[in-house]
Structures are given as structure tokens and as C-alpha cells.
Amino acid sequence: MATPPPTDGEVDVDEGLSLPTDAFVERDVIDARTPRIPPPKVLAFFTSNKSASVYVVDDLERGRGRQVWRVSAKERRIRRVAAVGTCNGLLCLCDEDKPGGAIALLNPATGKTVRVPPLPVSYRGRYGYAEAYTFGFVPETGKYKLLHLPCRGNSTGGFSVLQAFTLGDAAWRDVAVVAPGDSCRLHAGVVNVGGAAYWVTKGMVDRVVSFDLRDERVAFDAALPVGAGGTEKTELWVLGDDGRQRWSKRYSVRVEGVGHRLAAPHFAHGGEYVLTVQSEGWEKRHLHSHRMRDAGRRLLSSEVRSVRIEEPGTAVASFKEPGCLRTFANVETTEPLSVYKV
């Protein structure tokens, strides 16, 4: 299937992945300047040592989708590219060949990209893999922002300064931050919702931190409702926004009898579908959709939706080589990037 030419789509980043929840899908922030925004679709980002590609799923029920962008490692001199996140149709990519890897923003609908200036020198050799970044939008100002947390995996040692970048600026800025915990759990992911970034810290009690992108400060922190260890099922908890910081369980998902795992970071879409990934040996990756039995019914405030996946579901995207597959909610727009070139 034809893809947009990669002209000006330079993911040439030779200079230089949860908190899965459909709550983030349903609250996906859309630029208010763009009229008639359609509902979000599933975007699958696949990367391997040979290539990186973007696949948009138009119909989860029938498995209809299309490849909208692809770049080979050979033609763009890249080997490992990871997806940081999506916002308003823009996809944030990170070169993971080395710490402090370069960041680029891509609009898959147009094939256009723009590079972000590199991190300060003091952070490039130690930090800067994709899991340490997050990409978001501030509705009040209409500005896009990137954050970088200077920590690695679950290593001990907190941080008192993080790096912030506003799209269109010339360089990153250090921002003082007081966050609880001894370290950040980057494997849990850093996500953006409604103009705030969230990450998990490790301490006597694991906590989630909310960082306001507009004011660039910690808005609040709250203890997690359950431990961060693995369980036989996936539970989705939502932190209330009523100011009382109360948790409520919304989903309980169990996969049984099929060789699938839940997709990440978004495993549910639109309140109707659950997404899973099937691995065929070491050679292939398949994305499947599963329609919930009570799809379309709005949950009561105290209701927990139980989902059990026992069938393969509908294949909606396939990739014929080993690699990493991540899923996001995405709205296709023609958001220009040329105005942000520095």
C-alpha cells in the first residue's frame, strides 16, 4: 500500500516504552483550534532493527487499516526508534541508539517531521531513552511541551530538577521539582492527560505524581491503590478529579487460553474494544481487537467492567518481523510542523 514520501520526514536522528487505560483514550486532548475533530482511531507504531512504521486502524470490528508511514533504518541511518506518545495527531519519536537520543515529532498524515534540540550535554550520556520522556499539549496556551525525567528504570536516587521543552523554543530548560519517592518507576510509563503529566515513584509506598504542564510544578501526589507487582489479571484504576484524590476500579481484564498479551500503553479503545498483541514465534507481531460484550453501555460510577479474553479476536494489523509494537489513540490532522523548525 502506498505511503507518503518521506520528504522532509527526516527521522534522521543519528545525532544524538505502562499505565494502560482507556481513560486516556476518552480524554485525549484535541487542539480546540481545529474544527470538526473526528473520534480518535487506533494508531499502531512498530519498530525493529530494520524499519519503523505507523499503521492506522479505521475499523476495529472488520480489521480494516492502512500503513500511513514507514522508514527503513538503512535509508535514514537509524537502528532503534521508539515512540514516546501522541498528541493532536502528532507522534513523538526517540532515537534509542544511545542515551540522550534525539527527539523528532512526526505527523503521520502528512509525512512531515521536525527535530527537537538535543538535551543539555550533562544529560546525554546518562539519560534520555524514550521511557524518560513525555509529550503533551497545554489547552490554555495552545503550546506543545516535552518533559524529560533524569532517571533510569527503577534505579535508586530521586531528582530535584527535570528538563522541559516548549515546541518552538531554541533549547531545553531545567525546572526545579519536588517529587516524593526514592526513584521513578519508568517501566510504568509517563503519560499526559488534560495538560498534566503523570508518573509513578517508588518509596515506602508507591505513588503517582501529577505535574502541571502549564504552571510547570507538581500539582499533587497520591498513593497507588494497589502494589506495582505483577498479577494474573490487569486492573484499571481511575484517580478522581474531584479534588479528593480517591481511586475507583473501572476494569478487570483477564486473558486466558490464547497466546496474547494486552497491548500497551493503550489497551482499550472508545469503551468498546480491548486490544491484544500476538507473537508468532520470533518472526511476526499481530494486533487484534476484541469487542466487549457490553460495548456501548456507559458504566455506572461505581461499576467495574470485567473482561475475559478467550478467543483470538479480529486481526487488525500484522508485522512480518520481530520488534516492538505500541498502540495509541490518534486523530489524523494536518497540524503543520514547519512553523516549529529551529
Side-chain angles (χ1 to χ4, degrees):
M1 186 173 295
T3 61
T7 56
D8 195 34
E10 295 183 357
V11 188
D12 180 8
V13 290
D14 53 308
E15 290 190 349
L17 278 124
S18 63
L19 293 169
T21 167
D22 70 332
F24 300 144
V25 176
E26 293 170 354
R27 295 178 60 182
D28 192 34
V29 180
I30 302 301
D31 189 344
R33 298 169 296 176
T34 306
R36 298 183 184 179
I37 293 295
K41 298 178 181 180
V42 171
L43 180 147
F45 177 81
F46 179 79
T47 184
S48 70
N49 289 336
K50 297 180 180 180
S51 67
S53 57
V54 176
Y55 201 93
V56 172
V57 182
D58 295 306
D59 190 332
L60 287 168
E61 184 71 23
R62 298 175 177 83
R64 294 176 181 172
R66 54 202 155 86
Q67 180 178 279
V68 296
W69 180 85
R70 184 182 185 279
V71 62
S72 70
K74 184 177 181 179
E75 69 178 307
R76 291 297 181 217
R77 294 176 293 171
I78 54 176
R79 188 174 60 182
R80 291 182 59 197
V81 177
V84 173
T86 59
C87 186
N88 294 356
L90 304 182
L91 179 61
C92 182
L93 303 177
C94 177
D95 173 15
E96 288 207 314
D97 274 349
K98 55 186 176 181
I103 292 289
L105 299 181
L106 163 72
N107 186 332
T110 64
K112 305 296 184 180
T113 71
V114 64
R115 293 192 199 180
V116 170
L119 283 171
V121 174
S122 58
Y123 296 102
R124 293 182 205 170
R126 296 177 295 161
Y127 312 106
Y129 289 110
E131 61 184 4
Y133 291 100
T134 187
F135 172 53
F137 179 74
V138 184
E140 295 85 353
T141 64
K143 293 184 179 296
Y144 293 94
K145 285 192 177 183
L146 282 144
L147 296 184
H148 170 257
L149 308 188
C151 51
R152 293 176 291 183
N154 292 326
S155 59
T156 58
F159 57 91
S160 58
V161 173
L162 57 76
Q163 291 68 54
F165 178 79
T166 301
L167 195 59
D169 287 355
W172 291 79
R173 298 171 286 105
D174 280 348
V175 176
V177 58
V178 179
D182 300 323
S183 64
C184 47
R185 289 184 175 270
L186 288 182
H187 75 282
V190 188
V191 297
N192 265 281
V193 184
Y198 298 81
W199 65 85
V200 176
T201 64
K202 178 182 179 182
M204 294 295 292
V205 177
D206 291 336
R207 309 182 70 85
V208 61
V209 174
S210 170
F211 184 84
D212 190 297
L213 291 179
R214 181 187 59 183
D215 298 333
E216 295 190 350
R217 62 178 179 82
V218 171
F220 67 83
D221 67 272
L224 291 178
V226 293
T231 63
E232 293 182 357
K233 61 180 180 296
T234 297
E235 294 181 346
L236 186 148
W237 293 75
V238 175
L239 183 62
D241 55 2
D242 57 2
R244 288 179 283 184
Q245 299 183 19
R246 295 184 302 182
W247 292 94
S248 58
K249 186 164 69 170
R250 295 291 180 85
Y251 283 80
S252 178
V253 184
R254 189 184 295 270
V255 180
E256 297 178 332
V258 290
H260 293 212
R261 59 176 173 80
L262 291 178
H266 294 287
F267 75 84
H269 187 80
E272 294 190 5
Y273 295 91
V274 172
L275 304 172
T276 62
V277 176
Q278 177 194 27
S279 297
E280 190 175 319
W282 292 97
E283 297 301 321
K284 298 180 181 179
R285 298 291 183 270
H286 306 283
L287 180 64
H288 292 250
S289 68
H290 307 261
R291 195 167 194 272
M292 301 180 196
R293 293 180 180 177
D294 55 354
R297 183 175 65 82
R298 191 173 184 84
L299 290 177
L300 301 175
S301 59
S302 60
E303 187 177 1
V304 177
R305 174 171 279 160
S306 295
V307 180
R308 179 171 294 183
I309 297 174
E310 300 174 302
E311 300 292 337
T314 301
V316 297
S318 296
F319 304 90
K320 298 180 180 180
E321 57 190 72
C324 177
L325 176 59
R326 304 194 77 201
T327 55
F328 303 92
N330 179 73
V331 172
E332 293 180 280
T333 71
T334 56
E335 181 81 356
L337 286 171
S338 58
V339 296
Y340 298 114
K341 290 186 179 296
V342 296

